[in-house]
Amino acid sequence: MKIIFMGTPDFAVPTLEMLNEKHEVLAVFTQPDRPKGRGQKLQMSPVKETALKYDIPVYQPAKLKGDKESLQIIKDISPDAIVVVAFGQILPKDILDIPKYGCINVHASLLPELRGAAPINWAIIRGYKYTGITTMKMDVGLDTGDMLLKETVEIGENETAGELHDRLMGIGAELLIKTLEMLENNMIVPEKQDDSKSSYAPMLNKELGHIDWNNDSYNVYNLIRGVIPWPGAYFFYDDKMIKIWEAIKIEDICDIPGKILDVNQEGIKIACKKGAIIIKELQEIGGKRMDVLSYINGHEIEKGKIVK
């Protein structure tokens, strides 16, 4: 097939690479270069880096809607399909209508659950046991198009969002290739989504990671896992912000929420409304990521103190 690919982050890269092997990728659309890091230097998206490696033409419109130049480029290419993976823009109808097989999206949830920007994170934060990948034919809504294929995966009890992300991006690439093959051979009957069963996975922000110790340990632990690597779960000890990289939960404790119950080489134990969290790896903002033994050797953590 003649393909136009639209995507931006790491999650989209395996799909682009597999498409480039199996089909003819004639153009890549990705978000404009953004300033990053302390020096605020412009940085290419992972998808742009990959496209340039394979000498695929790259286009970076700030907004596709109303962009006549991009519309004409797509019309001139006349693709059989446009594949979209975490592109970061909603496609307007005049683009959706161009490809023979439509615009096919790879979404990291079992639709109609977890529509939106951060389905991997919210699946863990909300305590889901299963999630997966859905390929769908896009329409003008946000992840509301007819579903094509699904693959379900079990979420590990201690799996972080970063680990689940890395598993799902490979599964998504393979499911997309299978979807195109079945579309080409007229082997898929698109299935409408049941809007009454839909849920939303909003974009993450830094404030989301602030731990509320008045939750039980199960929910706090899910939050910690669900926001690794970004934005990270954190709390305040005095005025110091401390980010948690690794922890375990225990459920048979009842004490004042936020109280430091114990500090030793096994971890920093903090009470929740029900149960407790034992922190194994942490990072003071502005400092290095450390295992708990290294941290308490250089920092005083007072047992009995209440953290915020």
Side-chain angles (χ1 to χ4, degrees), residues 29-299:
F29 283 73
T30 189
Q31 296 281 51
D33 297 355
R34 307 284 191 205
K36 277 196 175 179
R38 290 182 181 175
Q40 290 292 285
K41 290 183 179 178
L42 284 179
Q43 190 168 320
M44 295 185 285
S45 73
V47 161
K48 181 178 178 180
E49 289 180 2
T50 305
L52 293 177
K53 185 170 76 176
Y54 294 116
D55 295 320
I56 304 168
V58 175
Y59 303 94
Q60 297 177 271
K63 198 173 183 183
L64 274 177
K65 189 174 182 180
D67 185 341
K68 292 179 180 177
E69 185 180 344
S70 293
L71 180 63
Q72 193 58 52
I73 289 166
I74 295 167
K75 282 181 174 177
D76 289 345
I77 292 172
S78 187
D80 294 313
I82 294 175
V83 173
V84 183
V85 186
F87 177 42
Q89 296 187 39
I90 292 178
L91 273 56
K93 191 172 188 307
D94 52 9
I95 289 176
L96 292 171
D97 291 340
I98 292 172
K100 177 181 177 182
Y101 294 104
C103 296
I104 312 303
N105 178 238
V106 178
H107 185 75
S109 80
L110 299 174
L111 291 171
E113 290 189 285
L114 299 173
R115 296 170 177 171
I120 294 172
N121 305 85
W122 285 103
I124 293 178
I125 293 168
R126 292 175 184 163
Y128 283 34
K129 303 298 183 191
Y130 295 90
T131 188
I133 295 286
T134 306
T135 54
M136 68 168 179
K137 193 168 181 180
M138 296 173 72
D139 61 16
V140 291
L142 178 64
D143 302 324
T144 54
D146 290 354
M147 300 176 293
L148 300 170
L149 294 180
K150 286 185 180 182
E151 183 156 342
T152 300
V153 301
E154 187 172 4
I155 300 172
E157 187 181 351
N158 302 307
E159 192 167 21
T160 67
E163 291 163 345
L164 181 58
H165 166 282
D166 291 351
R167 276 208 297 147
L168 287 177
M169 67 182 184
I171 293 168
E174 291 175 2
L175 195 66
L176 184 274
I177 296 300
K178 184 178 177 183
T179 300
L180 291 181
E181 184 182 328
M182 291 179 70
L183 279 174
E184 201 170 17
N185 291 294
N186 201 27
M187 294 168 66
I188 295 182
V189 178
E191 179 189 351
K192 288 205 174 299
Q193 294 190 43
D194 183 349
D195 291 340
S196 70
K197 294 180 179 177
S198 70
S199 58
Y200 185 57
M203 197 174 289
L204 305 180
N205 58 48
K206 288 185 179 179
E207 290 70 32
L208 176 68
H210 192 177
I211 293 171
D212 180 356
W213 299 101
N214 285 299
N215 282 315
D216 64 35
S217 60
Y218 174 79
N219 290 322
V220 172
Y221 184 60
N222 288 342
L223 175 69
I224 291 167
R225 293 162 51 225
V227 293
I228 289 174
W230 192 90
Y234 61 90
F235 63 95
F236 290 92
Y237 181 89
D238 291 335
D239 293 326
K240 292 183 293 190
M241 181 194 244
I242 297 175
K243 183 175 178 178
I244 300 173
W245 281 101
E246 185 186 348
I248 59 173
K249 70 179 187 300
I250 48 177
E251 296 173 359
D252 57 347
I253 279 179
C254 192
D255 211 312
I256 300 166
K259 182 180 177 183
I260 297 176
L261 302 175
D262 204 359
V263 182
N264 58 44
Q265 62 184 22
E266 298 300 318
I268 300 168
K269 185 189 293 186
I270 302 178
C272 303
K273 183 178 182 181
K274 182 183 177 186
I277 294 293
I278 300 176
I279 300 167
K280 298 284 192 180
E281 192 176 351
L282 64 163
Q283 181 180 12
E284 204 171 286
I285 295 306
K288 291 181 180 177
R289 181 174 166 177
M290 296 182 182
D291 63 78
V292 73
L293 182 58
S294 301
Y295 187 80
I296 61 176
N297 280 341
H299 301 79

